[in-house]
Amino acid sequence: MTQRERLPNRRANYSFSFEYEGHQYRATAGRFADGRLAEIFLHVPGKLGTPMQANADNVAILASLALQHGVAPDATRHSATGPIAIALAKFSEPIGDGWAAVEQDQLHLVSAVDANHADQESEHPQSNEYPEGGR
């Protein structure tokens, strides 16, 4: 097994919001210092404590662990469906207009005019510190 590559305790993250099967999601990603995708978080607003949020958390943790053990994002995305596949595609290297190959009928971005500009990719300093460098 490949050694797990740890992340620094403080790092920038990038987020975007999207809709999948009628549910809103917010995906956030962190990267290694060299720019490779290192971790993904999935949040289902308004669903805290539900099985839906637990499933989103679990799949994001598993994807993050795979990334930190050297598995390429495309290898995981090729084997996954649903919100994690959308997040992996968005955070993978840009293709064409910046979106990696995703079935367009799976992806419905939140309106660009909402109050939080939720569909705009943003960079925010990570304020949480994780023991031993993250997930």
Side-chain angles (χ1 to χ4, degrees):
M1 177 183 269
T2 307
Q3 180 84 11
R4 180 177 173 200
E5 190 172 349
R6 298 284 184 169
L7 291 132
N9 286 342
R10 296 182 59 85
R11 56 204 173 269
N13 62 62
Y14 306 85
S15 298
F16 77 102
S17 294
F18 62 97
E19 183 179 301
Y20 181 79
E21 292 186 349
H23 298 283
Q24 298 296 317
Y25 288 84
R26 181 140 184 97
T28 302
R31 296 187 178 274
F32 291 111
D34 64 5
R36 288 176 298 128
L37 186 59
E39 64 183 350
I40 291 182
F41 301 89
L42 280 177
H43 178 66
V44 189
K47 302 294 184 185
L48 186 63
T50 66
M52 181 176 218
Q53 182 61 57
N55 289 337
D57 287 340
N58 290 333
V59 73
I61 289 167
L62 290 173
S64 296
L65 286 170
L67 292 165
Q68 292 166 23
H69 281 281
V71 177
D74 286 345
T76 302
R77 185 174 53 86
H78 177 72
S79 302
T81 61
I84 195 65
I86 292 170
L88 284 164
K90 171 66 175 167
F91 293 126
S92 293
E93 295 222 64
I95 297 174
D97 66 353
W99 289 93
V102 175
E103 301 257 342
Q104 288 302 314
D105 62 337
Q106 287 186 350
L107 184 63
H108 304 285
L109 288 177
V110 175
S111 169
V113 190
D114 76 345
N116 294 323
H117 304 286
D119 69 334
Q120 299 297 316
E121 196 169 330
S122 61
E123 182 177 346
H124 304 284
Q126 181 83 4
S127 60
N128 298 336
E129 291 195 23
Y130 295 95
E132 300 181 49
R135 284 191 194 184

